[in-house]
Amino acid sequence: MQDFLFIVIGLVFLIAGGNWLLKSAVDLSLRLNIPKIVIGMTVVSFATSAPELIVSIKSALDGFPDLAVGNVIGSNIANLGLVLGVTVILGSIDVRKSFYTTDWPVMMLASLMFFFFVFFDYELQQYEGIIMVVLLFAFLIYLLKFQKTAVVDELPEDDEMLPLYKTVLYLGIGGVGLWGGSELLIDGAVGLAKAYGVSERIIGVTIVSVGTSIPELAASIIAVIKKEKAISLGNLLGSNIFNLLAVLGITSIITPIKVVDTGLITNDIFWMLGISFLVLPLVFIPKGLRLGWRDGIILLTLYIMFVYLTLS
């Protein structure tokens, strides 16, 4: 009963936190005259990746490396299969040129880099973590310096600036809400899973990864409802980049991560690479630079297949 209660309270905190965070992100983009896609891929992505970072560091330090890696791989699959799938089923997204010139290529580069780092020795070393974090900083500098093309705002009349104290307050409360909600959700979910004797890898790639992806789902659904779709897509791509480069990079700098369950490398990582790659053709087919409900159904179906095959 306590575990179930933790899950419910965690979900409430996560949804509220996603709303507050989005409000502050939109206001920041207005104040600094920065395109919303850039804010989505920096401020929002970092805040919604914080649960993965906390879970992965704690898991690795506590001697549960499969939970640390499974959490990130599962979250990246959930972000594109579950979150992006549900988001575009609710409302189509017009994709900007930056998707194929910057965002998607960096996400694939980070995914392939992680794959080559762990595929041969089943270990993410300290120096490999440093390389990943350096790449992340290079990407952020590029975003802030060069990606200045304004994103078309679907509802510019809604863009009224908040008082500065409210922006800071929403940012702080939103981040804390996401973090606290994720902690409660994960505690409850892991408690339930352990009661049924499920393995560490399966807990990581299913329950924990979905739990830590709920901030992205909440932020993206709220972004669609409020017609801030530029933030929802940038948030998801940025979150996957942060999960790989920041979460696994920082975790492996603190303590090298050695994969124990081979299923993570022989199965799960290929699902992550496959779904990450699939987003590109879906964006261009049948209509160029657009994701619609059919694409959402394809992504969601693949995610359900992944979870079913993992649990069976």
Side-chain angles (χ1 to χ4, degrees):
M1 185 63 192
Q2 184 187 359
D3 291 331
F4 181 73
L5 197 63
F6 278 180
I7 291 171
V8 173
I9 296 169
L11 282 169
V12 172
F13 276 16
L14 288 165
I15 292 164
N19 194 16
W20 287 321
L21 195 70
L22 187 69
K23 282 182 181 177
S24 64
V26 173
D27 195 65
L28 278 171
S29 71
L30 292 170
R31 284 180 183 280
L32 303 174
N33 201 25
I34 294 173
K36 288 177 184 173
I37 194 88
V38 177
I39 290 289
M41 293 190 72
T42 53
V43 177
V44 180
S45 296
F46 191 78
T48 54
S49 287
E52 282 90 343
L53 181 61
I54 294 159
V55 170
S56 290
I57 290 173
K58 192 173 186 305
S59 301
L61 289 173
D62 289 352
F64 303 112
D66 288 350
L67 195 57
V69 177
N71 169 38
V72 169
I73 292 176
S75 285
N76 278 21
I77 295 168
N79 281 350
L80 297 179
L82 174 66
V83 181
L84 184 59
V86 169
T87 302
V88 295
I89 287 169
L90 291 174
S92 61
I93 293 177
D94 290 318
V95 182
R96 307 299 167 197
K97 184 183 173 184
S98 62
F99 165 82
Y100 63 84
T101 57
T102 309
D103 310 337
W104 183 85
V106 172
M107 181 181 71
M108 284 308 300
L109 175 64
S111 301
L112 289 167
M113 180 185 284
F114 168 58
F115 172 77
F116 284 112
F117 281 165
V118 298
F119 187 71
F120 300 103
D121 61 358
Y122 285 34
E123 190 166 3
L124 199 58
Q125 306 279 0
Q126 197 172 36
Y127 76 91
E128 292 168 337
I130 292 168
I131 293 169
M132 293 170 89
V133 172
V134 168
L135 177 62
L136 176 69
F137 277 107
F139 171 60
L140 291 180
I141 290 164
Y142 171 82
L143 267 187
L144 296 171
K145 196 169 183 182
F146 299 109
Q147 199 167 311
K148 294 289 186 185
T149 313
V151 173
V152 176
D153 189 356
E154 297 181 36
L155 287 177
E157 67 274 15
D158 282 2
D159 292 343
E160 291 179 17
M161 274 197 260
L162 298 167
L164 185 58
Y165 79 91
K166 271 195 178 180
T167 306
V168 175
L169 189 66
Y170 282 146
L171 192 62
I173 295 174
V176 170
L178 289 167
W179 173 77
S182 295
E183 284 287 298
L184 287 170
L185 183 74
I186 291 158
D187 284 349
V190 171
L192 282 177
K194 282 186 175 175
Y196 290 97
V198 182
S199 80
E200 184 189 319
R201 168 205 159 214
I202 290 173
I203 292 172
V205 296
T206 55
I207 296 169
V208 175
S209 67
V210 170
T212 55
S213 286
I214 283 176
E216 283 88 348
L217 182 60
S220 294
I221 289 174
I222 291 160
V224 167
I225 292 167
K226 298 198 171 182
K227 301 287 193 288
E228 300 289 354
K229 293 178 188 175
I231 284 186
S232 71
L233 184 59
N235 174 35
L236 292 177
L237 296 173
S239 197
N240 276 18
I241 293 165
F242 269 79
N243 284 348
L244 291 162
L245 300 181
V247 175
L248 288 178
I250 292 168
T251 303
S252 60
I253 289 170
I254 293 168
T255 177
I257 307 169
K258 187 162 182 67
V259 176
V260 178
D261 192 327
T262 56
L264 282 164
I265 308 303
T266 57
N267 181 68
D268 305 341
I269 202 167
F270 288 102
W271 276 93
M272 183 188 80
L273 289 170
I275 289 179
S276 296
F277 179 79
L278 182 65
V279 175
L280 185 69
L282 287 180
V283 162
F284 287 102
I285 302 167
K287 280 188 176 180
L289 291 178
R290 188 177 179 86
L291 284 171
W293 63 271
R294 292 180 187 86
D295 304 310
I297 289 170
I298 291 168
L299 290 167
L300 193 57
T301 302
L302 283 170
Y303 182 73
I304 292 166
M305 279 175 59
F306 164 71
V307 172
Y308 174 77
L309 291 170
T310 302
L311 294 173
S312 61

